[in-house]
Amino acid sequence: MWPNISAVPFLLTGFPGLESAHHWISIPFFAVYFSVLLGNGTLLYLIKDDHRLHEPMYYFLAMLAGTDLLVTLTTMPTVIGVLWLNHREINQGACFLQAYFIHSLSIVESDILLAMAYDRFIAIRNPLRYTSILTNIRLVKLVVGVFMRGFISIMPVIIHLFSFPYCYSHILSHAFCLHQEIMKLACADITFNRLYPVILVSLTIFLDSLIIPFSYILIPKTVMGIASGEERAKALNTCISHIVCVLIFYVTVIGLSFIHRFGKNVPQVVHIIMSYVYFLFPPLMNPLIYSIKTKQIQYGILRLLFKHWFGN
């Protein structure tokens, strides 16, 4: 019988060996977190405030921005707490809850990118039937399905964490909680917690990463059938922002997975930096990409600035 010491908190870790520089390291983290909150918050406000952006494409963009905000707000308190205040302790319940939201939101973001690819495919292949296919009712069902898939599918492994005794080291290697790290600290049979995430990722993120490119292979075939060169360019331009966001998300996912799987001899600081790249780079870049490549968003930002500077 393993001793039950579940009351012992976990200890989060910043950058090992650089503890004396944590205050300085926290400054760029503050800047990135602020930029993420500002960029994605602005997107949400513009889409809510401008009735011309009340279309499926922008609803999906709002979902992406909202998910990025939630990911940021999930990791930010503990990261800033460790770097700025050297507050490393986190009780097990809070740690499991943070891991639950981190992994759920990763699946949700992948699903949203898949839904956005489907949206662009329908818009270009059947522009005349676009609004009749993506009706409000179907959008609501799609949104509910996306969030249920993410938040329900990850529950079994998180629930299992509550039942494990933790009698090994309680030190985690990041400033936030990840399921794959927590389970290794359990002195119990973790076979289910090892196998289930592999199957889950294969059926969600990996499967999404295969379907999305397939949809973009079909889109050029449709675009080539458009008579006007200007219309072809316009149709393809609407996909560029999404393609870049997809590449950023899946390249960081693959990079992080590759480092964790095959980087046993790689310095720990590289693992830590890659995890921060995964959690901060996509939320930072997504609003920038859409602001640069989407004219409607650009006009919305200009109207917002004009309103702020000159009033009504």
Side-chain angles (χ1 to χ4, degrees):
M1 189 79 167
W2 293 105
N4 187 355
I5 51 175
S6 59
V8 178
F10 293 118
L11 292 177
L12 302 170
T13 302
F15 291 86
L18 298 173
E19 287 83 2
S20 60
H22 273 180
H23 280 81
W24 293 107
I25 296 172
S26 69
I27 294 174
F29 274 89
F30 269 117
V32 171
Y33 277 129
F34 177 79
S35 300
V36 169
L37 295 175
L38 179 64
N40 289 284
T42 300
L43 272 184
L44 285 173
Y45 176 80
L46 288 176
I47 294 169
K48 174 184 176 295
D49 188 62
D50 192 340
H51 292 285
R52 284 167 290 191
L53 300 180
H54 290 182
E55 298 177 6
M57 172 184 171
Y58 299 105
Y59 291 148
F60 288 127
L61 179 56
M63 288 172 59
L64 184 66
T67 303
D68 285 339
L69 276 178
L70 288 174
V71 170
T72 301
L73 293 173
T74 298
T75 59
M76 182 172 66
T78 54
V79 172
I80 297 302
V82 170
L83 296 180
W84 187 251
L85 304 173
N86 195 32
H87 181 73
R88 297 180 60 197
E89 287 192 2
I90 181 171
N91 70 65
Q92 292 186 10
C95 188
F96 300 157
L97 188 63
Q98 185 183 49
Y100 170 68
F101 278 105
I102 286 174
H103 295 296
S104 295
L105 291 168
S106 295
I107 296 173
V108 168
E109 180 145 357
S110 179
D111 288 350
I112 292 171
L113 291 173
L114 177 61
M116 294 174 78
Y118 174 71
D119 168 74
R120 290 299 83 206
F121 176 73
I122 296 298
I124 292 173
R125 191 174 182 85
N126 295 296
L128 298 178
R129 297 183 56 215
Y130 176 61
T131 55
S132 64
I133 294 174
L134 285 176
T135 61
N136 289 336
I137 293 176
R138 284 178 180 166
L139 278 175
V140 170
K141 289 180 179 178
L142 191 58
V143 170
V144 171
V146 163
F147 280 92
M148 285 185 66
R149 187 189 189 203
F151 282 95
I152 293 178
S153 61
I154 200 68
M155 286 182 68
V157 290
I158 300 299
I159 291 172
H160 259 222
L161 293 178
F162 283 93
S163 65
F164 291 151
Y166 298 91
C167 48
Y168 297 140
S169 170
H170 283 66
I171 300 175
L172 299 171
S173 60
H174 294 83
F176 41 80
C177 299
L178 297 173
H179 166 263
Q180 59 265 34
E181 284 193 346
I182 300 170
M183 72 174 183
K184 292 177 182 178
L185 304 182
C187 41
D189 182 5
I190 59 172
T191 303
F192 175 78
N193 283 61
R194 285 185 180 277
L195 295 178
Y196 183 87
V198 175
I199 297 171
L200 179 61
V201 170
S202 299
L203 295 176
T204 54
I205 295 176
F206 180 71
L207 185 60
D208 293 347
S209 69
L210 295 179
I211 297 174
I212 291 172
F214 180 72
S215 70
Y216 280 106
I217 291 172
L218 296 178
I219 285 175
K221 292 183 179 180
T222 302
V223 171
M224 290 304 106
I226 300 174
S228 168
E230 184 179 346
E231 289 178 355
R232 284 200 297 267
K234 184 179 179 181
L236 289 174
N237 189 57
T238 62
C239 300
I240 291 175
S241 301
H242 182 249
I243 292 172
V244 175
C245 290
V246 167
L247 288 174
I248 288 174
F249 178 76
Y250 287 107
V251 166
T252 54
V253 168
I254 293 169
L256 184 61
S257 301
F258 188 85
I259 287 290
H260 276 299
R261 284 287 175 193
F262 307 107
K264 293 181 179 179
N265 298 323
V266 175
Q268 181 62 29
V269 69
V270 176
H271 288 259
I272 295 171
I273 290 172
M274 279 301 300
S275 67
Y276 286 122
V277 169
Y278 169 68
F279 286 113
L280 292 177
F281 193 60
L284 177 66
M285 294 305 297
N286 288 343
L288 288 176
I289 292 165
Y290 275 95
S291 298
I292 293 170
K293 294 300 298 179
T294 309
K295 289 184 178 180
Q296 291 87 339
I297 300 295
Q298 292 175 6
Y299 294 152
I301 293 172
L302 290 175
R303 282 193 300 270
L304 185 62
L305 292 174
F306 185 85
K307 184 178 178 180
H308 175 72
W309 286 337
F310 302 105
N312 296 325

